[in-house]
Amino acid sequence: MRRTLVLDNGSHTIKGGFADSDTDPQVIPNTVTRTKRTKRVYVADLIDKSSDLSGLYYRSPFERGYLVRWDAEISVWDRIFSNDVLGCTPTDTHLIVSEPVFNFQPIQRTMDEILFEEYQFQSLIRTTATKLATIGAAEIIYGDTTEPDCVLVVDVGHAFTYVVPYVNGKQVSAGVRRLDIGGRILTNYLKETVSFRYWDMMDETYIMNAVKEKCCFVSQDFYRDLETARGCTGGRGIRTNPLGLEYVLPDFTHSKQGFVRGQGSDIEQLMSDTQILPLCNERFAIPEALFHPTDIGLEQGGLHETVIQAVGACPEETRGVLLSNILLVGGTAALPGLRQRLQSEVQALAQCRVLVSAPEDPVGQAWRGGQALARMGMEEAGLGDWRLTRE
C-alpha cells in the first residue's frame, strides 16, 4: 500500500509525517551541526543526542531563504527517511513537499531530479507552505468548514516573513510582500544585546534561541512596558520587577538548554554552580523589531505596514475580506502577544474591520494543510491536476 508523506521543508526545521497518521508531525532540525570542542558532526535530530551544545557551528542547506546546499539537504533527508526517524520507503511513497514563495526554477528542477532519481518517489506535489497553510484555514478563522474566498497568510518564518494573499484559492502574485526579518535575525539581535550587557553569548546560537522561545514576548504597549522595566538592573531589581526574570544558563550536565529560574524543578537543586542571565526589557524589545525594522538597520516598513501594502496591491473588491481573514503562521508566530499586536496595529491603519487568526500550533499549520491535501482531491484544494509522477 502506497502512503503519502508530507514534508514542510523549512529553512530552520522540517515538519514531517505520513498523512494517514493521527499524531503530530515530527519537527526535525534542517541543519548539519558540528560541535566546537569535540568537532563531531551531527545530522538533523542527532544533535539532541549530544551533550556538547556550547558554541555549535551550523551548516544550513538554505541561504537567504532558498535551498542551495544540496549535499547538506540530502544528508538531512537521508536521516529523516531512515527507519530511525520516519521510516519512509520512497519507492512506495507519494510526497507532498513545501518550497519558498517565488522559488527559482533551477532550484525546482534540481529538487525534482533528486527526489525522483536519487530517492525514486512515486509522485510529487511541490507547493508553497503558505498555500498549504490555507487548506483547512476555515476552521481557524470561522470555526467551521466553509472555506473563505480570500485569505491573507502572514508567514513569520526563520529567514523571512512573507505576506501572501489568496483569492479563490489562487495566489495574488502582485500582492506578495517579503519582510527581511524572521526568527534568525531576532535570535542574533538577542545574542548581540545580552553579549553587550551581560555575558558573551555570540557563539551560543543554540542557547539563545531557546532563551528567545522561552522568555520573549510581543508588547501590546511598548513605551508602557519600557517604563515598567525602568530600573530593572539585575539582582533584586530583576526579581522585584514584574517584567524581569532570571534565566539559568545550562551546565550541559544537568541542563542542556537552561531554564527560567524557579521553573527548573529538581534540576535547579542539583546545579550548585549556576550562571544567571538577567532579562528584563530585552524580553519585549527584541521582538519589537518586527514592527520597527529600522531599529536594527533595515530600511523597511514594519509587519503591519507590510500587510497594508500587500492588501493595497490586490483588487479593491477583495481588500476588506482579506483584512478580515488574516492567518498568522510560522515558527516565530508562536511568540506570545504577536497575534494581538498585529491586529491592533493593522486596525489602526485600515478603514475596515480587521481580524487576525492563528492556529494553536502555528509551526505545524502548513504540515496539517498538506495532510488535508492528501486526504482530499487536488481540484478541491485549488491545485488543479498539478502533480509530478515518476512513470
Side-chain angles (χ1 to χ4, degrees), residues 349-374:
L349 299 176
Q351 302 297 320
C352 59
R353 175 178 174 270
V354 173
L355 178 62
V356 179
S357 303
E360 292 184 7
D361 176 23
V363 177
Q365 175 60 23
W367 182 89
R368 285 190 294 273
Q371 183 185 44
L373 171 60

Side-chain angles (χ1 to χ4, degrees), residues 105-387:
Q105 288 187 356
I107 297 177
Q108 292 176 329
R109 286 195 296 267
T110 303
M111 176 180 282
D112 296 343
E113 290 173 4
I114 291 174
L115 291 174
F116 280 129
E117 297 179 10
E118 177 124 356
Y119 293 103
Q120 298 188 346
F121 279 96
Q122 283 296 311
S123 68
L124 169 66
I125 296 175
R126 176 172 33 77
T127 186
T128 63
T130 55
K131 173 59 183 176
L132 292 177
T134 65
I135 302 174
E139 188 173 352
I140 301 168
I141 298 174
Y142 297 140
D144 59 31
T145 58
T146 305
E147 292 296 334
D149 294 331
C150 303
V151 180
L152 186 72
V153 179
V154 180
D155 184 1
V156 192
H158 180 64
F160 301 113
T161 294
Y162 281 100
V163 180
V164 185
Y166 289 89
V167 176
N168 294 323
K170 305 295 183 182
Q171 175 182 296
V172 182
S173 297
V176 176
R177 295 292 183 274
R178 188 182 81 180
L179 178 63
D180 295 338
I181 295 182
R184 180 177 60 191
I185 285 184
L186 296 184
T187 299
N188 290 339
Y189 187 21
L190 181 60
K191 285 195 301 184
E192 293 175 1
T193 302
V194 301
S195 296
F196 177 77
R197 296 178 179 179
Y198 309 115
W199 300 96
D200 182 5
M201 305 295 289
M202 289 304 296
D203 292 333
E204 306 297 342
T205 301
Y206 184 87
I207 298 173
M208 295 312 299
N209 191 66
V211 172
K212 179 194 70 178
E213 292 176 354
K214 295 178 182 178
C215 303
C216 288
F217 66 94
V218 177
S219 172
Q220 304 306 307
D221 188 332
F222 179 75
Y223 292 106
R224 181 196 64 196
D225 288 343
L226 198 62
E227 185 64 30
T228 301
R230 192 180 300 277
C232 189
T233 56
R236 183 170 176 80
I238 286 284
R239 299 190 189 103
T240 58
N241 195 288
L243 296 178
L245 55 79
E246 295 176 319
Y247 191 85
V248 180
L249 296 174
D251 60 2
F252 301 114
T253 300
H254 303 97
S255 173
K256 293 175 67 173
Q257 284 190 338
F259 51 87
V260 176
R261 192 168 196 172
Q263 300 178 13
S265 62
D266 297 337
I267 298 177
E268 193 165 359
Q269 304 301 320
L270 298 173
M271 297 174 63
S272 57
D273 185 18
T274 59
Q275 287 183 311
I276 302 297
L277 177 64
L279 296 168
C280 197
N281 62 25
E282 300 88 357
R283 298 180 61 202
F284 58 88
I286 301 304
E288 192 68 16
L290 287 166
F291 296 92
H292 297 95
T294 53
D295 291 350
I296 56 175
L298 285 177
E299 297 300 324
Q300 291 182 286
L303 182 56
H304 55 304
E305 295 167 312
T306 305
V307 168
I308 293 297
Q309 291 171 10
V311 172
C314 295
E316 185 174 357
E317 63 272 15
T318 67
R319 295 172 188 172
V321 185
L322 286 168
L323 286 171
S324 63
N325 290 336
I326 300 176
L327 181 64
L328 181 65
V329 297
T332 308
L335 281 171
L338 180 57
R339 185 193 65 79
Q340 296 88 338
R341 174 69 180 278
L342 179 60
Q343 177 162 322
S344 64
E345 293 285 355
V346 175
Q347 185 65 75
L349 299 176
Q351 302 297 320
C352 59
R353 175 178 174 270
V354 173
L355 178 62
V356 179
S357 303
E360 292 184 7
D361 176 23
V363 177
Q365 175 60 23
W367 182 89
R368 285 190 294 273
Q371 183 185 44
L373 171 60
R375 295 176 175 178
M376 67 171 61
M378 296 275 288
E379 195 70 38
E380 185 181 352
L383 290 175
D385 295 324
W386 194 88
R387 181 197 294 264

